């Protein structure tokens, strides 16, 4: 798969580019020997938090947040924060005139986080090469917050994966009101699914935050607020650091959706419903779309549509269908 764009039957909806993608050139050298990676350490002991942006090169909201932290001279009050700009080669191609084209270089970097893929030499793509370069960061971190955005204008949501430890943390930190419990994509594992993050016996936890539509100004605001929120909840935010306007986030997450049917495309998908994300489809058996000539219908009543895609070719996820489930207990946050 060599391009982030392909011809397809379903019409693509274009959305305005409201935000200016930041120049991350000043952060190229990093400070731990990995390009575009900066480690900020406090004298006081504490957790190691990894914040990542630009896993997809056409999602600049996380880059804006990390750039703002670095420009503002952020230092944690305890522990260690590592800031990583991830797929910088893809991001280098970003242009407001064709913003969808820079999602990756050769393949989707957020589907390659399997040890057997990352261990291949030479790497099978530029995206895998960069992922392998960043692999030590994932092995060291106690917590990962991976900043992303959505194709359609959706409310912010957390992808927590399938484990109880992640959904509990998602409730407690309150990055978004909506948390999605899912197993990822058939195409391959995401960064948040890597290693101990997906081991129920490990204390290491990863969350993926979808901050809103890719190029909406509000998405950058949410990404920055989420960074400050997780610093605060982990007792890593210096007193008096926050100045200026920061958008409000919920005190904790109150809605949890478990994915019951991820729609993995076999041929080419065309939607029968004008889904944008968040819709509740009342009746089981409702036609969602066609995979080639095969109809795809809702598996149960009150199906919630999560993140319908505009990339509708074989092997990818067209949409995730789920239902509301009980809110989990609260997590024990890292002790101060």
């Amino acid at each position: 798969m060599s391009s982030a764009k392909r011809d397809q039957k379903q019409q693509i909806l274009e959305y305005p580019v409201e935000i200016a993608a930041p120049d991350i050139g000043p952060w190229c050298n990093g400070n731990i020997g990995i390009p575009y990676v900066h480690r900020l350490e406090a004298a006081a002991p504490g957790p190691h938090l990894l914040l990542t942006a630009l896993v997809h090169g056409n999602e600049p909201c996380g880059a804006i947040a990390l750039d703002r932290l670095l420009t503002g001279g952020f230092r944690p009050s305890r522990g260690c924060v590592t800031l990583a700009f991830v797929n910088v080669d893809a991001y280098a191609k970003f242009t407001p005139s064709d913003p969808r084209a820079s999602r990756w270089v050769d393949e989707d970097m957020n589907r390659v986080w399997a040890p057997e893929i990352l261990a291949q030499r030479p790497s099978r793509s530029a995206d895998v090469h960069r992922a392998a370069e960043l692999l030590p960061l994932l092995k060291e971190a106690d917590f990962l917050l991976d900043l992303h955005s959505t194709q359609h204008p959706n409310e912010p949501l957390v992808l927590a994966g399938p484990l109880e430890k992640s959904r509990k943390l998602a409730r407690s930190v309150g990055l978004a009101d909506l948390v999605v419990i899912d197993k990822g994509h058939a195409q391959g594992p995401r960064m948040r699914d890597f290693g101990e993050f997906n081991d129920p016996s490990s204390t290491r936890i990863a969350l993926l935050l979808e901050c809103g539509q890719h190029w909406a100004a509000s998405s950058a605001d949410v990404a920055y607020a989420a960074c400050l929120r997780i610093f605060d909840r982990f007792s890593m935010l210096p007193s008096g650091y926050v100045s200026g306007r920061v958008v409000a986030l919920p005190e904790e997450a109150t809605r949890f959706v478990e994915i019951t049917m991820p729609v993995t495309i076999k041929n080419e998908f065309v939607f029968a419903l004008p889904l944008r994300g968040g819709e509740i489809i009342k009746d089981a058996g409702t036609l969602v779309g066609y995979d080639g000539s095969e109809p795809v219908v809702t598996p149960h009543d009150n199906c919630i549509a999560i993140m319908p895609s505009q990339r509708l070719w074989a092997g990818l996820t067209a949409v995730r269908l789920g239902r509301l489930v009980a809110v989990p207990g609260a997590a024990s946050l890292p002790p101060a």
Side-chain angles (χ1 to χ4, degrees), residues 19 55 103 107 128 142 174 194 249 289:
I19 52 180
V55 169
R103 188 167 178 81
E107 62 178 315
V128 172
D142 299 312
F194 180 79
L249 300 178

Side-chain angles (χ1 to χ4, degrees), residues 137-198:
L137 306 180
L138 274 74
K139 293 181 176 180
E140 296 166 354
D142 299 312
F143 300 95
L144 165 67
L145 175 58
D146 188 20
L147 298 168
H148 285 256
S149 51
T150 56
Q151 297 177 54
H152 295 293
N154 289 173
E155 67 171 294
L157 60 90
V158 170
L159 297 176
L163 299 183
E164 183 179 18
K165 64 178 182 178
S166 301
R167 68 186 79 172
K168 284 186 172 182
L169 181 64
R171 173 187 170 180
S172 297
V173 295
L175 304 178
D177 186 57
L178 177 61
V179 176
V180 176
I181 303 163
D182 72 325
K183 295 181 180 179
H185 302 270
Q187 189 187 8
R190 303 164 296 190
M191 181 190 287
R192 67 124 283 109
D193 304 322
F194 180 79
E196 291 188 37
F197 297 138
N198 232 28

Side-chain angles (χ1 to χ4, degrees), residues 44-330:
H48 182 179
L49 172 62
L50 172 61
L51 300 182
T52 53
L54 296 178
V55 169
H56 293 131
N58 68 333
E59 301 181 7
C61 65
I64 293 172
L66 300 196
D67 177 70
R68 189 171 174 182
L69 291 170
L70 289 166
T71 301
F74 175 79
R75 289 292 184 278
S77 58
R78 69 178 188 126
C80 171
V81 172
T82 299
L83 307 179
F85 301 93
V86 179
N87 202 338
V88 292
D89 288 343
Y91 180 62
K93 302 188 299 179
F94 182 84
T95 172
S97 62
D98 192 9
R100 292 186 296 113
S102 58
R103 188 167 178 81
W104 54 71
V105 179
D106 301 309
E107 62 178 315
D108 191 331
M109 188 189 279
N110 216 28
R111 307 289 185 268
V112 305
W113 295 89
E116 62 273 16
I117 295 174
L118 298 175
Q120 293 173 2
R121 295 294 182 274
S123 298
R124 72 187 191 190
S125 68
D127 310 89
V128 172
H129 179 81
R130 176 60 171 168
E133 188 175 44
L134 298 173
L135 188 56
L137 306 180
L138 274 74
K139 293 181 176 180
E140 296 166 354
D142 299 312
F143 300 95
L144 165 67
L145 175 58
D146 188 20
L147 298 168
H148 285 256
S149 51
T150 56
Q151 297 177 54
H152 295 293
N154 289 173
E155 67 171 294
L157 60 90
V158 170
L159 297 176
L163 299 183
E164 183 179 18
K165 64 178 182 178
S166 301
R167 68 186 79 172
K168 284 186 172 182
L169 181 64
R171 173 187 170 180
S172 297
V173 295
L175 304 178
D177 186 57
L178 177 61
V179 176
V180 176
I181 303 163
D182 72 325
K183 295 181 180 179
H185 302 270
Q187 189 187 8
R190 303 164 296 190
M191 181 190 287
R192 67 124 283 109
D193 304 322
F194 180 79
E196 291 188 37
F197 297 138
N198 232 28
D199 179 352
S201 67
S202 172
T203 58
R204 300 175 188 267
I205 305 175
L207 300 176
L208 188 163
L209 176 63
E210 302 282 1
C211 299
Q213 204 279 328
H214 290 329
W215 313 302
S218 58
S219 298
D221 294 336
V222 169
Y224 182 66
C227 295
L228 298 183
R229 168 59 65 83
I230 201 165
F231 296 153
D232 181 58
R233 292 291 163 93
F234 285 6
S235 302
M236 302 173 82
L237 186 65
S239 176
Y241 175 79
V242 179
S243 62
R245 185 182 70 89
V246 178
V247 299
L249 300 178
E251 281 303 304
E252 63 178 32
T254 67
R255 292 178 293 144
F256 286 73
V257 171
E258 184 173 25
I259 298 305
T260 54
M261 185 174 137
V263 180
T264 302
I265 305 169
K266 302 173 186 175
N267 298 289
E268 181 183 345
F269 197 86
V270 177
F271 282 100
L273 297 176
L275 299 179
R276 303 293 179 266
E279 297 89 351
I280 299 176
I281 306 170
K282 181 179 178 182
D283 297 321
T286 299
L287 180 66
V288 173
Y290 290 92
D291 189 346
S293 60
E294 179 183 346
V296 176
V297 302
T298 51
H300 50 75
D301 290 346
N302 298 317
C303 256
I304 301 175
I306 299 295
M307 294 175 61
S309 181
Q310 299 213 78
R311 296 179 297 276
L312 297 173
W313 53 86
L316 305 190
T317 304
V319 64
R320 285 160 270 198
L321 302 174
R323 61 179 155 213
L324 285 168
V325 295
V327 177

